[in-house]
Amino acid sequence: MKKLVFMLMALILPVSLFAAEVELSTGSEFVINLGTFTGIVTLVSSLVTQILKVIPAIKDNKLAKIGISALVGILVCLIAWGLQLTSLLENYPFYQVLIYGLAAGLSGCGFYDVIKAIGGLFKNKED
């Protein structure tokens, strides 16, 4: 019985895929939803990646990456809040937008890297 069901599904599935209507897109779009925390983190990550491509000298310094990511996160949130681009930040006061931007920036570079870099500051060089 299992073989029969498997054979029927194997025959029906390709036919249903060919019957689907396909729309070809004329251009590529890069859409980021600033209405969510994940969208802001995505924008921050993509901006930091582009900054690191332009300035390769800071690519090896982990603390510089973290600082740039935090700064970009704060700037993105301040600009979105000031221009009222998103309803997510609309009712927040200025200092909460700063904290939200800092959290978005740190999330964009990864909290693990931040904790690892901070832990490396306190670790003895002899170990």
Side-chain angles (χ1 to χ4, degrees):
M1 185 68 183
K2 289 180 185 179
K3 290 181 183 179
L4 179 64
V5 171
F6 178 72
M7 287 299 291
L8 289 175
M9 292 305 293
L11 292 174
I12 294 173
L13 186 63
V15 173
S16 64
L17 290 177
F18 284 118
E21 184 177 332
V22 177
E23 285 186 30
L24 297 175
S25 63
T26 57
S28 64
E29 294 183 13
F30 185 67
V31 179
I32 295 176
N33 182 11
L34 290 179
T36 62
F37 182 75
T38 307
I40 293 173
V41 170
T42 304
L43 179 63
V44 169
S45 296
S46 63
L47 288 175
V48 169
T49 303
Q50 297 306 314
I51 290 171
L52 292 177
K53 285 182 182 178
V54 173
I55 308 171
I58 58 175
K59 202 173 216 179
D60 296 330
N61 191 350
K62 289 183 181 182
L63 290 176
K65 283 186 205 178
I66 293 166
I68 289 173
S69 182
L71 181 67
V72 169
I74 291 171
L75 287 175
V76 164
C77 284
L78 282 177
I79 291 170
W81 177 72
L83 296 176
Q84 297 178 351
L85 296 176
T86 177
S87 61
L88 180 67
L89 302 171
E90 191 173 289
N91 296 325
Y92 288 155
F94 179 74
Y95 66 91
Q96 285 183 342
V97 173
L98 287 176
I99 294 170
Y100 200 88
L102 180 65
L106 292 177
S107 294
C109 71
F111 278 123
Y112 176 75
D113 292 336
V114 173
I115 293 171
K116 191 174 179 182
I118 291 172
L121 293 174
F122 296 111
K123 190 173 183 182
N124 290 334
K125 299 293 181 186
E126 297 171 358
D127 292 340

